[in-house]
Amino acid sequence: MPDKLENLVAATNAPLNDPDMNRTVGSGTPRFELYHFALSLCSQKVRICLVEKGADFVAHDINLQSPLLGNYDPAYVKLRMTAHPGTDYATGYTGRSSVSSEGFDPAVVPTLVDWPEDRVVVDSLAICRHIDRAVDPANSLVPEHIAPQVLEELAIVDATPHVAVLYGAHPDIDFRPERLKSGMPGVHDRKIGKIETARALVADDASLAAAYDAKIAKEKAGKHHVTTPDNMRASVDEILRIVRDLDQRIDSGSTWICGDQLTLVDLFWAISLFRMKWLGMAFAWEGGHLLNDIQSPAVANYAARLFELPSFKAAVIDWPGTPRSEFVSVHYSN
Ligand SMILES: N[C@@H](CCC(=O)N[C@@H](CS)C(=O)NCC(=O)O)C(=O)O
């Protein structure tokens, strides 16, 4: 008989007892339980969606950088696996985090528990679409009349190789924040060490062990990607192209990317463009950089509007524990 959701969540939550990292957002009875990490791009997408929809939720901040097992904890991985019962795990790495290009990763954040529906939902895009349908469906962030356009645009954000430029340096110019330049080398080996520790705890559970083996293979592929200069050049070039293409799609007569109504993809672009800026990549639209000379003024204006959204401020700028970088100081008042 499958484990009951209550038991899986109780086991996951047992070590999560720091009140600052595990707290209720909103004043009503929380419908959702979210496992996330302050700096994680995929988690930020889910947080901004929850805030924009006015949902109440319990937020568990799983610090990916802590020496604790966190997202590799067997109880958490087991909870996540209930949302994807197959064994077709991600084992490769292209610098993206999209499930459609990479496959399912059993040991990452975010993960959402929807109590009334008694289910676990994984993958930021699927989670946000779920929240959008579950909360205030009359004010959908994917309005039916423009749904194909919104979904097409969402797929572009989802397939942007953000992870490559977080973990790896461009071989010619490492434009990233100082904290990444000093902190990222060796990260894949550190992750693999933690995953092996977690795997050893469940060596006699074949399905969990298989999930950890896939994660180890993925991290080895990730290390190879970010330490291969041509791969990193290609990932940065792809982001520059994505921004230039976005500039062409922005209609100067509309406030948002799919018209005058704010949609889910505007929230996703807010997170994506801010991450680029955080990483020192605002030159993607500002130009004037050795890696990109071309300005994208429509993206610059669009980004400025997105960064003023109250939901963006609440989910990213003011979200406790979200580290700043030297490239985004202007967005903070203190
Ligand atoms: N497709 C998934 C990808 C999730 C993902 O890659 N999460 C990253 C943070 S954005 C993570 O948890 N990384 C930690 C690790 O790999 O150990 C989603 O969008 O939710």
Side-chain angles (χ1 to χ4, degrees):
M1 222 176 50
D3 288 309
K4 283 180 126 178
L5 185 59
E6 290 93 304
N7 298 339
L8 291 166
V9 170
T12 303
N13 291 358
L16 308 178
N17 38 36
D18 176 344
D20 291 334
M21 307 286 274
N22 301 276
R23 63 195 180 90
T24 300
V25 179
S27 49
T29 306
R31 166 173 183 156
F32 304 111
E33 205 132 343
L34 174 69
Y35 300 86
H36 72 113
F37 173 51
L39 182 60
S40 135
L41 178 96
C42 313
S43 303
Q44 291 178 351
K45 290 173 180 170
V46 175
R47 294 204 304 263
I48 194 172
C49 178
L50 284 162
V51 174
E52 188 65 42
K53 293 293 287 198
D56 296 323
F57 60 105
V58 178
H60 299 285
D61 193 329
I62 308 287
N63 186 351
L64 304 186
Q65 290 151 347
S66 137
L68 300 174
L69 288 182
N71 53 312
Y72 305 139
D73 189 297
Y76 174 72
V77 173
K78 206 168 161 188
L79 174 74
R80 222 180 127 75
M81 281 166 66
T82 62
H84 185 93
T87 51
D88 50 332
Y89 302 120
T91 52
Y93 190 90
T94 66
R96 302 173 183 84
S97 60
S98 151
V99 161
S100 44
S101 66
E102 314 300 292
F104 171 69
D105 184 328
V108 284
V109 291
T111 299
L112 186 88
V113 172
D114 181 341
W115 283 114
E117 290 200 12
D118 194 37
R119 63 179 281 212
V120 178
V121 191
V122 293
D123 185 41
S124 53
L125 181 51
I127 294 174
C128 291
R129 296 219 57 205
H130 177 81
I131 294 164
D132 185 46
R133 283 188 286 257
V135 181
D136 193 11
N139 289 309
S140 174
L141 289 167
V142 186
E144 223 173 287
H145 66 290
I146 47 169
Q149 208 185 330
V150 175
L151 296 181
E152 206 176 306
E153 197 74 30
L154 280 166
I156 296 170
V157 187
D158 206 30
T160 303
H162 283 111
V163 201
V165 292
L166 175 75
Y167 284 98
H170 189 284
D172 307 321
I173 306 177
D174 189 356
F175 47 76
R176 298 172 306 161
E178 289 305 320
R179 63 188 307 139
L180 293 191
K181 286 184 193 166
S182 58
M184 279 305 183
V187 64
H188 292 95
D189 291 335
R190 291 194 292 280
K191 286 170 85 175
I192 290 168
K194 276 168 64 174
I195 301 163
E196 281 169 345
T197 303
R199 190 197 185 284
L201 299 173
V202 294
D204 52 357
D205 181 325
S207 72
L208 272 172
Y212 286 117
D213 288 341
K215 181 67 175 162
I216 291 169
K218 183 184 169 199
E219 294 309 316
K220 286 184 177 164
K223 179 179 175 180
H224 178 262
H225 184 98
V226 304
T227 52
T228 304
D230 279 350
N231 287 344
M232 287 308 300
R233 282 195 190 95
S235 292
V236 171
D237 286 350
E238 191 177 339
I239 294 181
L240 296 177
R241 182 191 53 73
I242 287 170
V243 171
R244 280 199 292 272
D245 290 352
L246 172 63
D247 201 63
Q248 299 301 309
R249 293 195 304 281
I250 293 171
D251 170 5
S252 58
S254 307
T255 315
W256 306 114
I257 185 72
C258 296
D260 282 327
Q261 189 171 351
L262 182 83
T263 67
L264 184 59
V265 79
D266 296 302
L267 304 181
F268 272 42
W269 274 125
I271 301 300
S272 168
L273 293 170
F274 191 75
R275 172 53 54 94
M276 292 177 204
K277 186 168 184 179
W278 191 95
L279 281 170
M281 264 198 99
F283 63 78
W285 56 89
E286 287 170 357
H289 189 274
L290 270 167
L291 295 176
N292 177 47
D293 212 12
I294 303 166
Q295 290 186 348
S296 295
V299 173
N301 288 333
Y302 179 48
R305 282 197 296 284
L306 293 171
F307 301 160
E308 286 303 315
L309 283 171
S311 54
F312 171 75
K313 290 190 174 169
V316 178
I317 302 292
D318 297 333
W319 188 273
T322 309
R324 308 172 190 190
S325 83
E326 54 271 41
F327 303 109
V328 295
S329 314
V330 65
H331 296 281
Y332 293 82
S333 52
N334 57 356

